[in-house]
Amino acid sequence: MDKYTYILDDNQKNERIDKVLSSLNGEWSRTQVQQWIKEGHVTVNGSAVKTNYKGSPGDEITVTIPDLVELDVLPEEMNLEIYYEDADVLVVNKPSGMVVHPAPGHTTGTLVNGLMAHCTDLSGINGVMRPGIVHRIDKDTSGLLMVAKNDMAHENLVQQLVDKTVTRKYQAIVHGVIPHDYGTIDAPIGRDKKDRQSMTVTEENSKHAVTHFRVIERFNSFTHVECQLETGRTHQIRVHMKYIGFPLAGDPKYGLRKTLDINGQALHAGLLGFVHPRTKEYMEFEAPLPKEFLEVLDYVSKSN
């Protein structure tokens, strides 16, 4: 366990502590410093502070870096569908049915297991259970994910998500016939008080959430839509489409009681675009609809 101590001078007054520490030590990313602050590894004059604490000249800042925790998640050889890879980033097409990252009691068969076998240089910012993971999609959602191979790339890609400059378009099949061609759902999402495992549209303890959609094709009882995320809340598309009365087909959590008998919701993250953290070039990738989605599309089209 390493310990570092800094005394602030006039040049650092009124600066956020996370920004100050990341500039004082060039090897620490701001995201990593924020994590240490939240975990209580950073003190100012002997007391814990929040990430938005602004320093004063003479403040004594102590950073106690915790020992690295050995990752007890083992690499597993998988036939991953890699769309792009270089020294900084990787884009992978996740199949439906695969969990993105391990959780206690579930440490095998995840995308992270496969990534660890594919490459050893993954960003550690998100912790030992989520190396390289910048964002995620649900187990039964297929599609494209960007993965960071170092902390610089991770911090840059996260900032792009915060700045809402990442392009994320999904295709979905929903119950009901949506009458208008385009729409925007601007409704905050938070935990459901009645079911803590579910999310819902609520004003209490919620976060701003915006989803744009357009109709691709209408059927007798279903609609094929494209949804574009402006924000990235947990289960956002599933919750928002349910909120406006058009829940996703096959959705076991937010769908209708009598929904299609398929393996999870008909949702595919088909298009992903972002600016490369190092080259600053805009890159865009598109994954075709998987076989399972096409089968559902064929079924609902025949319902006309």
Side-chain angles (χ1 to χ4, degrees), residues 140-142 170-173 237-238 248 265-269 293:
D140 293 324
T141 299
S142 58
Y170 292 65
Q171 289 196 43
I173 299 170
I237 292 173
R238 299 163 67 188
L248 267 63
Q265 62 276 355
L267 184 62
H268 175 64
F293 194 105

Side-chain angles (χ1 to χ4, degrees), residues 91-301:
V91 176
V92 59
N93 187 26
K94 185 189 83 68
S96 174
M98 176 184 281
V99 175
V100 171
H101 57 76
H106 185 84
T107 57
T108 61
T110 73
L111 178 62
V112 163
N113 293 106
L115 288 171
M116 289 175 63
H118 177 77
C119 56
T120 57
D121 50 344
L122 294 171
S123 165
I125 283 179
N126 250 359
V128 295
M129 300 294 273
R130 306 183 186 190
I133 300 302
V134 178
H135 63 129
R136 59 181 287 270
I137 55 180
D138 298 328
K139 173 187 174 185
D140 293 324
T141 299
S142 58
L144 298 171
L145 284 167
M146 53 188 180
V147 177
K149 297 180 71 176
N150 55 60
D151 288 0
M152 178 281 293
H154 195 128
E155 193 162 47
N156 183 282
L157 293 173
V158 168
Q159 190 59 50
Q160 290 186 52
L161 288 168
V162 171
D163 294 339
K164 302 176 184 177
T165 58
V166 177
T167 304
R168 287 174 292 171
K169 293 183 179 180
Y170 292 65
Q171 289 196 43
I173 299 170
V174 301
H175 285 278
V177 182
I178 301 177
H180 27 276
D181 293 338
Y182 301 90
T184 294
I185 309 164
D186 186 344
I189 292 176
R191 289 283 172 192
D192 190 335
K193 279 186 174 181
K194 299 177 182 177
D195 178 5
R196 300 300 295 172
Q197 300 300 313
S198 298
M199 309 301 288
T200 189
V201 170
T202 176
E203 295 291 341
E204 296 183 32
N205 298 317
S206 57
K207 293 182 179 179
H208 180 58
V210 178
T211 304
H212 307 283
F213 70 86
R214 70 175 182 88
V215 170
I216 297 175
E217 189 173 4
R218 296 180 180 89
F219 304 104
N220 185 46
S221 303
F222 297 89
T223 306
H224 181 195
V225 297
E226 177 188 81
C227 296
Q228 181 166 354
L229 291 179
E230 185 173 314
T231 56
R233 308 307 176 201
T234 301
H235 301 167
Q236 180 172 313
I237 292 173
R238 299 163 67 188
V239 171
H240 269 172
M241 295 310 293
K242 174 188 177 183
Y243 177 66
I244 64 169
F246 301 97
L248 267 63
D251 193 329
K253 186 180 289 286
Y254 304 103
L256 301 178
R257 287 186 178 180
K258 292 184 178 180
T259 186
L260 297 184
D261 185 17
I262 56 179
N263 294 321
Q265 62 276 355
L267 184 62
H268 175 64
L271 190 144
L272 175 66
F274 57 91
V275 174
H276 191 282
R278 193 176 300 276
T279 68
K280 307 308 177 187
E281 172 192 3
Y282 179 75
M283 309 174 74
E284 191 168 276
F285 306 90
E286 190 165 2
L289 293 171
K291 178 184 175 183
E292 312 86 66
F293 194 105
L294 290 171
E295 288 174 349
V296 177
L297 202 54
D298 181 62
Y299 174 81
V300 299
S301 68

Side-chain angles (χ1 to χ4, degrees), residues 9-139:
D9 57 30
D10 288 335
N11 294 326
Q12 290 129 2
K13 66 180 179 181
N14 295 323
E15 289 276 1
R16 283 176 54 118
I17 188 172
D18 54 348
K19 183 178 179 181
V20 168
L21 286 174
S22 61
S23 63
L24 285 172
N25 190 312
E27 296 181 359
W28 299 343
S29 71
R30 193 165 175 180
T31 304
Q32 180 65 78
V33 170
Q34 290 172 345
Q35 187 65 32
W36 288 337
I37 293 171
K38 290 176 182 177
E39 293 173 354
H41 300 303
V42 177
T43 62
V44 178
N45 303 322
S47 299
V49 293
K50 294 184 177 180
T51 54
N52 62 356
Y53 174 83
K54 293 184 177 180
S56 301
D59 276 352
E60 181 179 278
I61 302 179
T62 301
V63 183
T64 305
I65 301 177
D67 293 330
L68 289 175
V69 179
E70 286 295 323
L71 184 58
D72 57 356
V73 180
L74 298 177
E76 293 179 43
E77 291 293 336
M78 296 181 186
N79 186 25
L80 297 178
E81 192 173 358
I82 306 296
Y83 269 54
Y84 177 83
E85 182 177 11
D86 61 23
D88 299 303
V89 297
L90 179 151
V91 176
V92 59
N93 187 26
K94 185 189 83 68
S96 174
M98 176 184 281
V99 175
V100 171
H101 57 76
H106 185 84
T107 57
T108 61
T110 73
L111 178 62
V112 163
N113 293 106
L115 288 171
M116 289 175 63
H118 177 77
C119 56
T120 57
D121 50 344
L122 294 171
S123 165
I125 283 179
N126 250 359
V128 295
M129 300 294 273
R130 306 183 186 190
I133 300 302
V134 178
H135 63 129
R136 59 181 287 270
I137 55 180
D138 298 328
K139 173 187 174 185

